[in-house]
Amino acid sequence: MKNLYLSVLYGFAAMLSLNSTHAAEAKADEHSHEEGAAGHAEEEHADHEAEDEHQHKEDETCTDEHGHTHAESGQPVQLKLDAKAIHSLDMRFEKAGAASDEANQTIHGQMVIPPHAVETYALPSPGRVTFHVKSAQNVRKGDLLYTLASPDIVEMQGNVAMARAALDRATAELDALQQRRTRLEQIGTQNSELNTSISFKQAEVNSLSTALASSTDKLGIATAGGELKDRILQIRAARDGSVQSIDLNQGAWGEQGKAALLMTNAGELEFAATVYGSVPMQRQKARLALGNGKNTEMLDGTLRVADQIDPATGSRAVYFAPSRLPATTYAGQPARLDLYSRDADAHDYISVPNSAVVKVGVDDVVFLKTGDDTFTMMKVETLPSRLGKTPVRGIEPGQTIVTKGGYELKYILPAAGGAPAKAAGHFHADGKFHDGKD
């Protein structure tokens, strides 16, 4: 990066040297006349005519640029920078928020996993565990987490099978007895002993049905959340998420109820921080500034502030649950919470990070990202900065501003002064600055 800045400054110095050389040559040409003083007289007359051309009536608007560049006149200036240079400069971007709102309090914290988003996968039965995932691995709903080889489950399977076989046998015997009684009744014969046998067999069938239901329920509890396949219990993810931790060694024996792994549900991270108990937290609006690659997204959501103040530290907890989360968000990611209230003095001003405001000459400017490799310089009016933010007027809500890299962009602005505006320069991937398109 040091080499990058040196290259930039050398390129800028060379640009100034070139302009000085042209100016010297032009001055020398002014004094090269075959007619001597006559040439000076003609030039002086021409100069007066030029001055007369720029005399305007009072309050009349001048539409001629008079040799000014757009940068000097405050008009938007278009710049171009290739993707490799953007990457090498490590540029950062952020969308401008709504006008008439100014963050009057900023809280720094990090993204955390709320307790309700953590799910424990405990062993439903004692057995030997084989894991099919690793810690910090992202999983989808239905992915295989681990398998459990449990003797208790095998025994329960046997009990269910035996209870089902006994019930099937007793049901078949009852059916045979009932068919025999039906045939006797058809020929008008009664058999009290047969009726007694049928009653006993019906009671046995009822008892075996209850036993089968009980065995099946026990097996269901022992295999809850899993699927039996070849006497091995397979446990799969109930929802999308990531593996927070694995609490057993591969192939280890675990007792029933032992935590096998912890899962974090996807998309349920929230912001957490602490503030002094005396800090007022009644605000109309709160927004979360969260990095997403090279961009910083401003997210709406729900603010929660603890009523209790820790007597040891004199602080209280602050939480913010965003309505949505970028896919790249992770636990422990630094974030910033901006708290807003209406400020009549800041009407039509948009608060941007201090790093987004760059000095170009005596003007304050903000660079906008208008395409993949194009930028626009906008002259802005500013109010005094506060809490790392500067209220500016001259940009629109939703525009993407450059929060890091604007200082480098100002070195590829079109030439200033009376010289004609030239094509914007550019940075190469090696960090060197070059004039023009090539």
Side-chain angles (χ1 to χ4, degrees), residues 171-327:
T171 300
E173 292 174 354
L174 176 61
D175 185 58
L177 291 173
Q178 289 175 337
Q179 289 181 10
R180 181 181 175 187
R181 185 176 61 181
T182 300
R183 288 195 297 270
L184 290 175
E185 288 176 349
Q186 289 175 351
I187 62 177
T189 301
Q190 298 292 330
N191 189 328
S192 58
E193 183 179 351
L194 180 60
N195 290 333
T196 301
S197 298
I198 290 174
S199 297
F200 279 111
K201 187 58 67 174
Q202 183 65 59
E204 182 183 358
V205 168
N206 293 339
S207 177
L208 291 174
S209 296
T210 301
L212 176 59
S214 177
S215 298
T216 302
D217 290 342
K218 288 181 180 179
L219 180 61
I221 294 173
T223 59
E227 177 184 359
L228 275 174
K229 188 174 182 180
D230 298 330
R231 296 189 175 186
I232 300 296
L233 182 64
Q234 297 180 344
I235 302 296
R236 299 183 179 274
R239 56 188 56 85
D240 294 348
S242 62
V243 180
Q244 183 176 346
S245 65
I246 294 179
D247 299 334
L248 287 173
N249 294 330
Q250 185 75 289
W253 179 273
E255 295 299 327
Q256 182 180 9
K258 173 67 177 178
L261 56 80
L262 296 181
M263 286 279 297
T264 302
N265 298 337
E268 295 195 34
L269 298 176
E270 67 180 13
F271 172 86
T274 57
V275 297
Y276 288 114
S278 58
V279 174
M281 296 297 296
Q282 299 299 324
R283 297 290 182 269
Q284 289 185 346
K285 186 178 182 181
R287 302 185 78 195
L288 183 67
L290 189 62
N292 182 15
K294 291 184 176 294
N295 296 309
T296 298
E297 294 196 39
M298 302 300 297
L299 306 173
D300 295 320
T302 303
L303 176 67
R304 307 194 315 275
V305 181
D307 293 330
Q308 301 82 6
I309 297 177
D310 186 345
T313 62
S315 62
R316 72 172 93 189
V318 176
Y319 302 96
F320 185 84
S323 55
R324 65 177 183 84
L325 278 176

Side-chain angles (χ1 to χ4, degrees), residues 383-426:
L383 293 177
S385 61
R386 181 171 58 181
L387 299 173
K389 291 293 194 75
T390 300
V392 303
R393 182 164 60 186
I395 62 175
E396 298 294 333
Q399 290 181 319
T400 301
I401 60 177
V402 178
T403 58
K404 182 181 178 183
Y407 182 81
E408 290 78 10
L409 284 177
K410 77 174 185 177
Y411 286 110
I412 61 173
L413 290 172
K422 62 179 181 179
H426 61 280

Side-chain angles (χ1 to χ4, degrees), residues 317-338:
V318 176
Y319 302 96
F320 185 84
S323 55
R324 65 177 183 84
L325 278 176
T328 56
T329 307
Y330 58 91
Q333 180 177 356
R336 182 188 81 235
L337 185 67
D338 292 339

